[in-house]
Amino acid sequence: MRSVIVAAPPVFGETVPVLRVAEGLVRRGHAVTALVGSRFAERAEDIGARFVPLHGAADFDDRRLMSDNPERFALPTGPEQYNWDLINVFVAGMNAQHEALQRLLEEDPDAALVANSLCTGMWPVALGAPGRRPRRWVAVVTNPIACDDDATTPMGPIPGLSGDEAVRAHRAANAEWHAVLEPTRQAAQLRLTELGAPEPMPPFYQALYSLPDALAALTVPEFDFPRANPLGNLTYAGILPAPPGGDPGKPAWWDDLDSDRPVVAVTQGTIANGDLGQLVEPALRALADQDVLVVAALGRDPSVLVGPVPANARVAKYVPFDELLPRVDLLVTNGGAGGTQLALAAGVPVVACGATEEKPMTAARVAHHRVGVDLATATPSEAQITEAVTTVLGDPTYRQAAGRLREAYAAYDPITTVEALLR
């Protein structure tokens, strides 16, 4: 048995995977303390972990974060919004995360740390600030890998280049990527200086990957880009399975999935569903006259939908994805890394529609590996959706490519991988 602290910023998509890892460690006999946001208290205690809440700027309710900060939506989509998100969601909590982690390590200096890679609370000590470092620090990477590499950029290899020309182009593009995120680096540097860290803050994503002892990336190499300079501390861990749904979670129309029509699932995820007019509603309209059964998982009450639900569509607030995906022929998604990979792990091709956070990087991988189509927008038109769905359903090579990824994902066990990295 080992003593393990698990930590994550209070964002659903970053916290839940870490708590799923914590649950696996608890079941294997480890003593786990969960340093997470207040709204995850019950979830942490239910898995058998000791719950310790984040506090101050490190604790917020991500369901209200955007509505409480309307100035964020006034920023142009792209670098300005992305820097705002990184600074206000992840960097702003550094001081409070640091203080909380130091208290826990004072209590148990031999504890190991399993932290979401965007948890910045251990960065000050890693860069020379006074304080304790855990016996072993494993960062769980939930988002697409965006490290420097001579063979690729965060959005994939630059097409049409080879040899030294490709290397120079990739290095230039990666340097530009760091320059775009310089406001985030500067914001982190200010906090590090406050906490007494003498070493300079590297570019944000270099810090994210280089400071921990080990990285456990929740993906597989077959869904990453080819790399010339792989990270020495990186281990591909596969993905966590979808949480079991069970019969109580099935809607009344579940048996309709037994029809002979192709099933197209549509989702905007669990957080980015404040405006279903971005993807779900256009998809329902676009596919209303197609010979498919559309299943829309809204993450919200169906009453919020504008307009009637087409006859060939079934909608629900939540759907047990572990039981739905094996019966789906195509997923239309906003491109979140978790949901996209769950579909691919079930052998389901994807139409990805994302333009913010990590979503373009996920969608670029979908296109690169030909396991679906990247529409390169968060607000696709009905015509774009119809064409993409028709293309993927009509071309068996997409399904075959997704099937190869299903075999790749099946070979990994993320809990065993993380446990091994703690030794």
Side-chain angles (χ1 to χ4, degrees):
M1 184 182 75
R2 298 185 183 277
S3 176
V4 182
I5 301 166
V6 299
V11 177
F12 185 90
E14 311 301 338
T15 298
V16 170
V18 171
L19 287 179
R20 298 278 307 284
V21 171
E23 182 178 17
L25 294 175
V26 168
R27 288 179 176 175
R28 296 184 182 205
H30 302 287
V32 176
T33 296
L35 177 65
V36 292
S38 300
R39 86 174 183 97
F40 300 99
E42 183 176 356
R43 191 184 292 259
E45 291 169 346
D46 284 347
I47 66 172
R50 169 196 172 202
F51 167 66
V52 175
L54 291 165
H55 65 280
D59 192 20
F60 53 83
D61 189 332
D62 62 323
R63 295 167 296 186
R64 298 199 307 266
L65 183 65
M66 298 307 177
S67 61
D68 289 348
N69 295 277
E71 72 277 5
R72 190 261 189 188
F73 294 102
L75 298 173
T77 301
E80 289 189 58
Q81 276 195 6
Y82 197 34
N83 276 292
W84 190 98
D85 292 345
L86 292 175
I87 292 168
N88 292 278
V89 179
F90 303 113
V91 173
M94 181 189 297
N95 300 53
Q97 289 177 13
H98 166 77
E99 293 167 6
L101 284 168
Q102 289 305 304
R103 283 198 302 271
L104 292 175
L105 290 169
E106 287 286 342
E107 293 176 12
D108 186 358
D110 195 46
L113 174 64
V114 175
N116 176 272
S117 60
L118 288 165
C119 178
T120 58
M122 192 48 61
W123 290 14
V125 173
L127 291 169
R132 293 182 181 273
R133 189 175 176 114
R135 178 182 55 77
R136 182 80 168 158
W137 172 14
V138 177
V140 177
V141 183
T142 59
N143 294 318
I145 300 165
C147 61
D148 288 358
D149 196 281
D150 288 348
T152 188
T153 74
M155 297 298 295
I158 298 173
L161 301 178
S162 62
D164 291 343
E165 185 182 13
V167 170
R168 288 193 297 271
H170 290 132
R171 288 179 179 177
N174 290 324
E176 183 178 354
W177 163 249
H178 293 313
V180 163
L181 297 181
E182 178 61 12
T184 298
R185 192 202 68 79
Q186 291 179 4
Q189 181 66 73
L190 288 173
R191 295 186 175 277
L192 289 162
T193 300
E194 291 172 2
L195 294 166
E199 298 178 32
M201 168 71 185
F204 183 81
Y205 272 90
Q206 283 188 4
L208 188 152
Y209 298 124
S210 66
L211 299 182
D213 298 316
L215 304 171
L218 295 182
T219 188
V220 295
E222 292 85 352
F223 191 56
D224 196 9
F225 297 125
R227 298 195 175 275
N229 321 107
L231 294 165
N233 62 343
L234 172 67
T235 299
Y236 292 94
I239 63 168
L240 298 158
D247 288 341
K250 293 179 181 177
W253 46 256
W254 193 257
D255 289 342
D256 294 349
L257 296 172
D258 295 331
S259 73
D260 294 331
R261 291 181 292 178
V263 177
V264 178
V266 182
T267 179
Q268 281 183 219
T270 54
I271 297 297
N273 52 25
D275 178 8
L276 296 177
Q278 290 185 334
L279 176 58
V280 170
E281 290 169 355
L284 291 175
R285 294 192 297 269
L287 303 176
D289 296 325
Q290 303 297 311
D291 187 23
V292 297
L293 178 67
V294 181
V295 175
L298 308 180
R300 303 178 63 192
D301 190 276
S303 63
V304 303
L305 286 171
V306 175
V309 175
N312 70 334
R314 306 292 182 268
V315 300
K317 184 175 182 179
Y318 297 113
V319 177
F321 264 78
D322 62 317
E323 298 186 59
L324 174 67
L325 286 173
R327 309 173 79 168
V328 165
D329 296 278
L330 173 64
L331 175 68
V332 179
T333 172
N334 66 340
T340 298
Q341 292 194 96
L342 282 174
L344 297 172
V348 177
V350 171
V351 172
C353 314
T356 59
E357 296 94 29
E358 86 292 350
K359 295 176 179 66
M361 289 185 268
T362 301
R365 285 160 169 79
V366 167
H368 179 82
H369 294 288
R370 284 193 54 80
V371 291
V373 172
D374 172 13
L375 290 184
T377 176
T379 55
S381 67
E382 294 176 32
Q384 286 176 301
I385 295 171
T386 301
E387 181 181 1
V389 169
T390 302
T391 296
V392 176
L393 290 180
D395 185 345
T397 63
Y398 290 104
R399 186 85 186 190
Q400 292 164 5
R404 290 190 291 273
L405 273 184
R406 176 179 57 200
E407 296 175 3
Y409 284 108
Y412 288 79
D413 180 346
I415 305 301
T416 296
T417 299
V418 172
E419 187 179 38
L421 292 173
L422 290 172
R423 294 172 187 159

